[in-house]
Amino acid sequence: HFLDEEVEKSYREFREKGYEKAEISPLITEKLDVQQILKSSSKKWDGGYVIAGLIGHGDAFVLRDPNGIRPAFWYQDDEVLVVTSERPVIQTVFNVPIDSIKEILPGNAVVAKKNGNVKMLSINNCKERKSCSFERIYFSRGSDVDIYQERKKLGYSLVPAILNSINHDLDNSVFSYIPNTAETAFYGMIQGIENYIRTIQKEKITTCGNSAYLDAILSMKPRIEKIAIKDVKLRTFITQDQDRDDLVAHVYDVTYGTINPGKDQLVVIDDSIVRGTTLKKSIIRMFDRLNPRKIVVVSSSPQIRYPDCYGIDMAKLGDFIAFKAAISLLKKKGMEGVITEVYNKCKAQLSFPKEEIDNYVKDIYAPFSDNDISAEIAFLLKTKEIKADVDVIYQNVENLHLACPDHLGDWYFTGDYPTPGGNKVVNNSFIKYMEGSDERGY
């Protein structure tokens, strides 16, 4: 629409200047103001996006949202212009150093004219930067230099909570990870465990009285095993809803003989626990076959409590294990009135402009601490046939921000959406949950 308007405007201007029809087309091609077209088109958009377009005469563009929710990087040389969501792709394909790759700034577009001229132009005023943190935790390639370090920090920061859960009993604890995206966080977790061991070693060495005891001290190290084995052909997170449950029971197997039955505790880190379906129907069951006395499931991301509407398929509140846990706790404590009150508040906002909608779903979680929710999640995940104790540990939002300081978009954890449309989505999602609808919130 706005492209047609711009072409029509240019056509009239050239006609008024006396140009013939045959002369006007190449002049419009040269003069076409892609920057203005994008400004006119996107001024009312709400969301997270990176949109690429090719115009018939030869111009091209890539436009990023004003909050920088979705990632975008670009590289240009004498032969190519390339834009991707991840830097390592460009580094690998074109074998270029990282400092030659630029980020498309929030609210900006890279515009390539037919004549080969390339510029990054401001389209919308940059708003508060809320780059998606879940992109860093889960979806992005761990081969990016920054993402690799961020994921290690996420794993490292969980060590104090893990040590408390296993009662600091490293001799009888085995550490592992859920393949494959949690592997980097696992390295950070092990680094934290090793640092803790060195602290213990220093304390014991100062009181050491004989060489045999010294050998025992110096031999202390975390017990690491590859417990879970994943069929790489099956990825349940992105499987259609109706097919997911059929797949989860067949995705994982375990390595037998790695656990001392009835004696060892098993600590396994994952990048996120969203629905809990795979944990409940496959992973914990498989781990329990090894007969550990305790299974500690660790998530390098915080509890996912709210739907996403900016590009990641997490749209239904009723799917989230953290939401189920909060509802379960409210019912156990006779606080069903909170659920009804939130529903009524959400319904009352249906006719509101999105800018006036509040996220009252936060009230569902407000009576409980993060630890309360985690404990209830563990309760929900442990089915009757599971013999081992089950503990669940989540990352907290503060440590997430410390690990990913440039990616503070945390709405799925906090409910603090960067655009008004987010509050509208969470509002609709809760109403659909209460009314038994399986539709998405948008």
Side-chain angles (χ1 to χ4, degrees), residues 12 45 62 96 99 130 148 186 197 201 214 225 231 293 370 373 406 426:
R12 288 195 303 267
W45 292 353
V62 180
V96 295
D99 56 9
K130 289 290 184 180
Y148 184 79
F186 171 75
I197 288 175
Q201 287 172 326
L214 182 60
E225 302 288 355
D231 186 336
R293 62 185 169 94
D370 290 355
I373 302 289
D406 296 325
V426 71

Side-chain angles (χ1 to χ4, degrees), residues 20 100 208 238:
E20 298 295 325
S100 67
C208 177
I238 56 175

